Amino acid sequence: MFEEQATEELMPSELGTKEYWNEAYLVEKKNFIEYGDVGEVWFGEDSALRIVRWLCSSDLVKQDDSIIDLGCGNGMLLVELAREGFINLTGVDYSQNAIDLAESIMKMQNLTIRYEVRDILSIDDTVMSREYAVALDKGTYDAVSLHPEDSKEKREKYILNVWKLLKPQGLLVITSCNWTEKELILHFSTKFCLLSVIPTPTFQFGGKTGNVISSLVLQKK
Ligand SMILES: C[S@@+](CC[C@H](N)C(=O)[O-])C[C@H]1O[C@@H](n2cnc3c(N)ncnc32)[C@H](O)[C@@H]1O
């Protein structure tokens, strides 16, 4: 409790607002229609592949497990999973334009993924409760943490809602560029425990070694 209070919040940014993402995905939607460009893959393709590889090789995850991508954007992480044979995939995002884009890409690739426009912070208790074996988050907790108003409350609400939508002992695979491994473990520690760290490239600066991206597998307590 003491340590969580000591967490310093991130500098607020427009990347924390729905308006920003809706505008960004409007541009990406047009680019997809005009040029077939699927748009930004956050943290790069290698990062998505590391997550997919972990899921494919884990004894805890089966191909028909219900998997939800929280803040799925263009849905490319789910596309990779569908190509690997996962069959029970859902993507949610609060941006209608993101979901339009993700659906267009899915149709073009002849895949089956459920997509829904949903604000993860406003999921009520009757919807999606304890439905998912695995939740994925690549950059969404980062976006929530950057909200210009009440970011700490929003982060905490996010953690609670993710906990609620997971089945008992469900997994959250979270990838962040704004929080370190230690900070993520601390933020989620009341509701989740650390199961695994997905190795990410390290950099060295001033004799210290660190990671630009943190990728963790947490398990619902
Ligand atoms: C950094 S982008 C990452 C997109 C995608 N996960 C990827 O890896 O390419 C953050 C995403 O989170 C979505 N997002 C942010 N806050 C959200 C919320 N409260 N509910 C649903 N989606 C949200 C944004 O619309 C955006 O698609």
Side-chain angles (χ1 to χ4, degrees), residues 51 54-55 61 65-71 77-78 81 88 90 92 120 123 131-138 158-159 161-167 169-175 188 192 198 216-220:
I51 296 165
W54 190 90
L55 290 166
V61 185
D65 273 349
S66 48
I67 299 179
I68 185 167
D69 189 5
L70 305 163
L77 182 54
L78 292 170
L81 288 173
N88 194 351
T90 302
V92 294
I120 300 151
I123 292 173
E131 262 185 50
Y132 296 94
V134 180
L136 309 172
D137 173 328
K138 189 157 67 66
Y158 179 88
I159 293 166
N161 283 358
V162 177
W163 181 85
K164 279 186 191 164
L165 59 82
L166 282 171
K167 291 181 176 176
Q169 296 181 309
L171 305 181
L172 167 64
V173 183
I174 182 165
T175 303
F188 285 79
F192 292 85
I198 300 177
L216 302 179
V217 183
L218 304 174
Q219 186 163 42
K220 176 173 176 165

Side-chain angles (χ1 to χ4, degrees), residues 28-112:
E28 295 205 349
K29 207 162 91 169
K30 284 185 185 151
N31 286 341
F32 183 70
I33 293 166
E34 279 182 41
Y35 313 110
D37 177 1
V38 298
E40 177 109 32
V41 173
W42 281 83
F43 311 146
E45 284 176 13
D46 285 355
S47 176
L49 285 180
R50 279 189 289 270
I51 296 165
V52 172
R53 258 187 249 127
W54 190 90
L55 290 166
C56 289
S57 62
S58 169
D59 294 340
L60 297 175
V61 185
K62 297 188 294 300
Q63 294 221 311
D64 61 350
D65 273 349
S66 48
I67 299 179
I68 185 167
D69 189 5
L70 305 163
C72 60
N74 59 12
M76 288 311 289
L77 182 54
L78 292 170
V79 165
E80 293 302 333
L81 288 173
R83 284 184 184 146
E84 289 296 329
F86 289 89
I87 54 168
N88 194 351
L89 302 171
T90 302
V92 294
D93 203 291
Y94 64 6
S95 159
Q96 177 72 59
N97 288 328
I99 294 299
D100 291 347
L101 172 63
E103 283 182 332
S104 305
I105 295 172
M106 174 195 72
K107 281 180 195 146
M108 181 81 107
Q109 307 226 2
N110 239 339
L111 298 168
T112 306

